[in-house]
Amino acid sequence: MKHPVFYLTILAVYFVFLIIIGFWTQRKNQSSSDYLIGGRKIGAMVSALSFVAAYFSSVVIIGGGAFGYKYGLSTLWIAAINVLLGCFLAWLVLGKKTRELTKKYNAVTLPDFFAKRYQLPLARIFVSIVICLFLIIYNVSILKGLGDTFQVLLGIDYIWGVVISGLIVLIYVSFGGYLAVVWTGFIQALIMGAGLLLLLTNTLRVTGGLSAGVLALKNIKPGLVETPGVWGFPGLISYVLVVSFGVWGMPQMLARFYSIKSNKAIRTGTIIATIGGAMAFIPYLVGALARTKFPDLANIDQAIPLMVSNFMSPTATAIFFIGVIAAGMSTFSSVLIISSGAMVSDLMKKSFSLKINEKQEIRWNTFTNMLIGLISILIALKPPGLVLTLTAFSWAVIASTCLAPFLLGLYWKRTSQSGVLASMFGGFIVAIVWTMQKPPPFGLHGFIPGVAVSFLLLVVVSHFSKKKIAFIE
């Protein structure tokens, strides 16, 4: 690898900067609400861009590039629906209502919202366990993307890449809490955007422009430039829905709506998140075009890193490298704070009646962040599957458990406790059982039947239940 001292120096400076933010925000954490959702005082720009950074992490940059390499230009539909459904409509439909109801219920986590909205403590316990277990799988996919990036761009062993990046996140999140998550996420989104734009311009340069690149891709296999092409509609639609509609049920994304300071900020944030989300097109496009330069990759997760290391200048490579690291770290940190909140606030304190004050709860959250992070790092040292495959599995199970009860909990007044439990357990079971089938029935990912069954059970069982749940306007 060329210029190792240059890259390592920039990386070290960046890591020190993140740690400083962690200790700076630590002073602002006076309560568990501050630690978990920033005291509901976060502005539009920080909320929206940290949302984008958490959404389009190294999972999309590395994993999206791998899917683009494997399936071609049809994967651009994933990015298009990400922007429309995962950013614009998510903010438009969920943002205001989520902020208002979580504030009225004084809920600071998704399991807490379920328990208070439906007067159902069992929902808090079950959802907390699902979040803790399956967000660890998501963490593994993030860390795998980071490890691959370190290995290809810096020549650092995969294991050390996972350990170094993981431990840095543990430090600033454990001490700084949610404020550290959103402020570092805001900065990381800006770096991600700059790195991806540099990647796009360099890729178009070395492929002779978009038209020439598409033609070269067509010559390799015509299906790579068609929709649905080599993927097929069942697989394409499944993944589009998992990583777009699935956002609506992911607690680390919904937290941005809990914490934003006003309805006016929600409206502004909707525009910013939609514009920022457009960066999702770049990894899929570059991954597809990478096949014209590296047609026979054994590890397709290395498609994007190889394009960078072979065709970008040292300065551009450094910016992109920091952007990928920033992307992974922003998501990893978002997931950690949600996991610790589920473990400490929802399970230990509210479900099992652990007697702790606000300061003690912050310390417990700090410890739990470190524990969950270390477990994720250990698993990521020998991870199963591709980055985006791991992500889709974890998102499918969590969304199948949470999405229907959350969305209908915001807008529908006829929900019942039995309907909510049937929805949660039914969606959870269907998503796991369906995903475990190889190949999956009809080529559909477990997310689609899981969420469909969850919505169906909630509506049908609630319709036949005599006792409905009081609804706060």
Side-chain angles (χ1 to χ4, degrees):
M1 182 196 67
K2 299 178 181 179
H3 314 290
V5 176
F6 175 65
Y7 295 138
L8 291 173
T9 301
I10 292 178
L11 185 63
V13 171
Y14 176 65
F15 283 168
V16 170
F17 177 66
L18 293 180
I19 293 172
I20 290 172
I21 290 178
F23 284 105
W24 170 67
T25 52
Q26 181 187 25
R27 299 179 301 170
K28 300 179 181 293
N29 292 323
Q30 301 301 314
S31 67
S32 58
S33 176
D34 291 337
Y35 190 88
L36 294 176
I37 57 171
R40 303 185 194 271
K41 300 174 183 177
I42 311 300
M45 183 72 75
V46 173
S47 295
L49 289 183
S50 68
F51 176 94
V52 170
Y55 190 176
F56 304 122
S57 69
S58 58
V59 168
V60 172
I61 296 177
I62 302 300
F67 266 46
Y69 183 95
K70 184 175 182 179
Y71 298 115
L73 296 181
S74 64
T75 55
L76 292 175
W77 285 106
I78 301 176
I81 306 302
N82 282 169
V83 175
L84 175 62
L85 187 58
C87 293
F88 176 69
L89 288 177
W91 276 74
L92 185 67
V93 175
L94 302 179
K96 179 181 177 182
K97 203 72 174 180
T98 299
R99 179 185 171 275
E100 292 176 347
L101 284 185
T102 55
K103 188 174 181 180
K104 286 180 178 179
Y105 286 119
N106 192 29
V108 297
T109 66
L110 186 59
D112 197 31
F113 171 78
F114 287 139
K116 293 175 178 177
R117 165 66 179 88
Y118 296 116
Q119 301 157 38
L120 196 58
L122 179 59
R124 178 193 285 126
I125 296 174
F126 179 63
V127 173
S128 297
I129 293 172
V130 170
I131 286 173
C132 289
L133 290 178
F134 287 90
L135 282 185
I136 287 178
I137 296 175
Y138 186 30
N139 276 343
V140 171
S141 69
I142 298 164
L143 290 167
K144 183 179 187 300
L146 290 169
D148 285 336
T149 304
F150 269 88
Q151 185 173 32
V152 174
L153 295 186
L154 283 183
I156 294 176
D157 187 75
Y158 168 86
I159 291 176
W160 282 109
V162 168
V163 172
I164 292 170
S165 55
L167 289 180
I168 294 296
V169 174
L170 284 187
I171 293 172
Y172 75 75
V173 174
S174 296
F175 290 100
Y178 185 79
L179 285 171
V181 170
V182 292
W183 275 103
T184 55
F186 165 69
I187 294 166
Q188 288 161 337
L190 298 176
I191 299 172
M192 283 169 57
L196 285 171
L197 287 174
L198 287 170
L199 173 64
L200 177 62
T201 55
N202 277 275
T203 299
L204 294 178
R205 175 181 58 81
V206 300
T207 56
L210 184 59
S211 297
V214 171
L215 181 61
L217 196 60
K218 183 178 181 180
N219 290 334
I220 294 173
K221 185 181 290 186
L224 293 173
V225 299
E226 299 170 350
T227 298
V230 296
W231 201 345
F233 275 117
L236 176 59
I237 292 172
S238 294
Y239 274 93
V240 164
L241 290 176
V242 170
V243 296
S244 297
F245 193 39
V247 170
W248 294 40
M250 295 303 292
Q252 77 273 19
M253 310 307 297
L254 298 174
R256 269 56 180 182
F257 305 139
Y258 292 28
S259 63
I260 199 166
K261 66 180 181 181
S262 67
N263 288 339
K264 181 180 179 182
I266 288 282
R267 292 191 293 272
T268 305
T270 302
I271 299 171
I272 297 171
T274 304
I275 295 172
M279 72 173 71
F281 283 94
I282 298 175
Y284 294 105
L285 176 59
V286 172
L289 296 178
R291 192 155 179 171
T292 67
K293 297 297 180 182
F294 308 101
D296 300 305
L297 287 182
N299 180 4
I300 62 176
D301 276 335
Q302 294 188 353
I304 295 287
L306 283 171
M307 290 295 288
V308 174
S309 61
N310 283 274
F311 302 119
M312 291 175 68
S313 68
T315 301
T317 299
I319 294 173
F320 176 81
F321 175 66
I322 297 299
V324 175
I325 300 302
M329 286 182 159
S330 66
T331 307
F332 188 35
S333 63
S334 296
V335 170
L336 278 179
I337 200 72
I338 294 299
S339 300
S340 70
M343 181 72 75
V344 177
S345 178
D346 293 309
L347 284 178
M348 296 171 61
K349 184 178 180 180
K350 294 175 181 175
S351 297
F352 302 133
S353 302
L354 179 67
K355 303 298 182 183
I356 51 176
N357 59 34
E358 294 285 347
K359 293 295 184 182
Q360 290 172 326
E361 185 172 349
I362 291 175
R363 287 196 290 270
W364 270 103
N365 273 296
T366 300
F367 170 76
T368 306
N369 268 322
M370 292 184 175
L371 178 62
I372 294 174
L374 289 173
I375 291 172
S376 302
I377 290 171
L378 289 174
I379 297 174
L381 297 181
K382 285 193 175 181
L386 293 172
V387 168
L388 210 57
T389 302
L390 291 172
T391 299
F393 174 64
S394 61
W395 279 40
V397 175
I398 295 172
S400 296
T401 303
C402 301
L403 200 160
F406 180 72
L407 181 59
L408 296 187
L410 297 179
Y411 288 99
W412 197 40
K413 300 181 180 182
R414 296 181 57 81
T415 51
S416 70
Q417 291 178 330
S418 53
V420 170
L421 289 178
S423 172
M424 288 181 172
F425 285 106
F428 172 82
I429 292 170
V430 169
I432 288 183
V433 172
W434 193 284
T435 304
M436 290 176 65
Q437 306 305 308
K438 302 297 181 184
F442 312 110
L444 295 176
H445 194 277
F447 169 85
I448 292 180
V451 170
V453 167
S454 181
F455 270 104
L456 182 65
L457 287 173
L458 182 51
V459 173
V460 172
V461 176
S462 292
H463 177 75
F464 289 103
S465 299
K466 294 181 178 180
K467 184 179 179 181
K468 311 301 179 184
I469 306 298
F471 187 85
I472 294 180
E473 294 287 356

